[in-house]
Amino acid sequence: MKLKRKVEIVVISDVHLGTYGCHAKQLLTYLSSVEPKHLILNGDIIDIWQFSKRYFPKSHMQVIKKIVSLATKGTKVTYITGNHDEMLRKFTDSEIGNISIVNKLVLELDGKKAWFFHGDVFDASIQNAKWLAKLGGYGYDLLILFNRFINWILVTLGKERYSLSKKIKNSVKGAVKYISNFETTATDLAIENGYDYVVCGHIHQPKNEIIETKKGKTTYLNSGDWVENFTALEYQFKRWKLYKYSDDKLSAFFADEDLKEMSEQELIAAITIMKPLKKIK
């Protein structure tokens, strides 16, 4: 049995289960290598916008099973809703066993205040033209699917993977400006409200950076995604670390054997034996 790293807090976001872009196997490998006290799912874990019964691979279901398994073994799981899983917002402030659903979260970490939220609240395209944002989501998914084909060819030829979406984001002025505006807005609000940490997802841009302005300073953190970057945030020993799957994996951790054998019926049973759904007081 492989040893698992004990971590106080793990934050993941933008997994997009149910889409071709999701790299569920890599995420499953990561989740099987850690033992967090608190797992924060910071939005867009299940892509309800693009959900289709025709595409939900076994590895995607195994990620859900793994999260439930962690909860049943004592990990506190907080699901912060995002725009792609906004349907879950009707269950805001509810909990089932160790799993709670919220729109935002504030924690005190070793005397410092941390503010967690997905980040789509800053996105005018989602707030004002949701259909356009969804259309963009489908286009992004097609780009990622094409990119996977390109990378299969590159790996076969012994060359490094290449991210088309990253190239586009980094070269298009509008995209660069949007990301910069997003980060500035998040940090300005955090400083104004006295938060030492502001933790977001949404823009698929992992970051861990101290931001200082005339009004004060805060640490801006973004957990990235499991479509392009394969990143997570970890809090341990009073500090934050940006985990990068490509750089930080220590060995070939894989899903627990009992998890691999868990059927959908057993998954439902595991959820059923947890406490009934109730509103958080």
Side-chain angles (χ1 to χ4, degrees):
M1 182 178 178
K2 291 183 173 66
L3 293 175
K4 299 185 180 184
R5 291 188 297 111
K6 293 184 182 293
V7 184
E8 191 171 337
I9 298 174
V10 166
V11 184
I12 61 172
S13 68
D14 301 276
V15 178
H16 294 278
L17 293 170
T19 67
Y20 293 105
C22 171
H23 285 76
K25 291 181 180 178
Q26 286 86 342
L27 176 57
L28 192 61
T29 298
Y30 169 63
L31 290 177
S32 297
S33 73
V34 292
E35 191 176 302
K37 288 183 180 179
H38 192 174
L39 173 62
I40 298 175
L41 309 173
N42 201 358
D44 290 0
I45 305 302
I46 302 174
D47 199 318
I48 299 176
W49 273 12
Q50 300 177 68
F51 180 79
S52 170
K53 292 181 180 178
R54 292 174 295 177
Y55 187 80
F56 206 86
K58 184 178 179 181
S59 59
H60 292 216
M61 179 58 73
Q62 285 179 322
V63 170
I64 296 175
K65 292 175 181 177
K66 183 63 185 179
I67 292 169
V68 172
S69 175
L70 287 169
T72 56
K73 292 177 181 177
T75 295
K76 177 179 175 59
V77 178
T78 302
Y79 196 128
I80 301 173
T81 54
N83 50 302
H84 285 256
D85 45 24
E86 63 179 353
M87 286 180 66
L88 295 176
R89 285 176 176 161
K90 67 178 72 174
F91 303 110
T92 295
D93 296 330
S94 296
E95 61 181 20
I96 177 170
N98 281 335
I99 302 175
S100 59
I101 300 174
V102 298
N103 289 334
K104 60 184 177 180
L105 178 68
V106 175
L107 294 177
E108 184 171 318
L109 304 176
D110 298 302
K112 294 185 176 182
K113 289 170 65 179
W115 180 30
F116 301 79
F117 62 99
H118 181 64
D120 58 295
V121 67
F122 299 148
D123 197 331
S125 68
I126 292 172
Q127 301 302 321
N128 301 322
K130 192 172 293 182
W131 65 271
L132 185 62
K134 288 185 178 182
L135 184 63
Y138 285 113
Y140 178 74
D141 204 33
L142 287 173
L143 176 65
I144 293 296
L145 183 60
F146 178 67
N147 202 166
R148 292 187 84 162
F149 173 69
I150 295 295
N151 281 333
W152 177 79
I153 295 174
L154 289 174
V155 171
T156 302
L157 296 174
K159 298 184 178 182
E160 291 186 3
R161 293 173 177 269
Y162 184 80
S163 175
L164 289 172
S165 56
K166 273 189 182 180
K167 181 67 177 177
I168 291 171
K169 286 178 183 177
N170 293 334
S171 61
V172 177
K173 289 183 179 179
V176 173
K177 184 179 179 181
Y178 168 74
I179 291 168
S180 176
N181 289 345
F182 178 95
E183 295 174 348
T184 299
T185 302
T187 52
D188 283 351
L189 283 171
I191 291 170
E192 186 178 329
N193 288 281
Y195 294 113
D196 300 286
Y197 308 114
V198 54
V199 189
C200 307
H202 188 53
I203 58 173
H204 295 210
Q205 296 288 308
K207 187 172 280 190
N208 179 356
E209 184 178 357
I210 296 174
I211 303 295
E212 191 165 0
T213 69
K214 293 179 180 179
K215 294 183 178 180
K217 70 176 181 178
T218 190
T219 299
Y220 170 79
L221 298 140
N222 195 300
S223 45
D225 65 283
W226 289 86
V227 176
E228 305 167 60
N229 296 292
F230 312 165
T231 52
L233 290 167
E234 298 180 352
Y235 183 80
Q236 183 77 334
F237 305 122
K238 299 184 180 182
R239 69 182 183 92
W240 284 99
K241 174 190 174 183
L242 182 61
Y243 171 91
K244 298 179 181 179
Y245 179 84
S246 58
D247 299 335
D248 297 334
K249 61 178 179 178
L250 302 178
S251 58
F253 284 98
F254 294 100
D256 305 321
E257 290 303 316
D258 59 339
L259 186 66
K260 289 182 180 180
E261 301 301 322
M262 184 187 287
S263 66
E264 290 186 26
Q265 288 74 21
E266 290 170 326
L267 173 64
I268 293 170
I271 296 174
T272 305
I273 63 173
M274 297 165 73
K275 296 176 184 177
L277 189 70
K278 64 180 182 180
K279 284 285 184 181
I280 300 172
K281 295 181 180 178

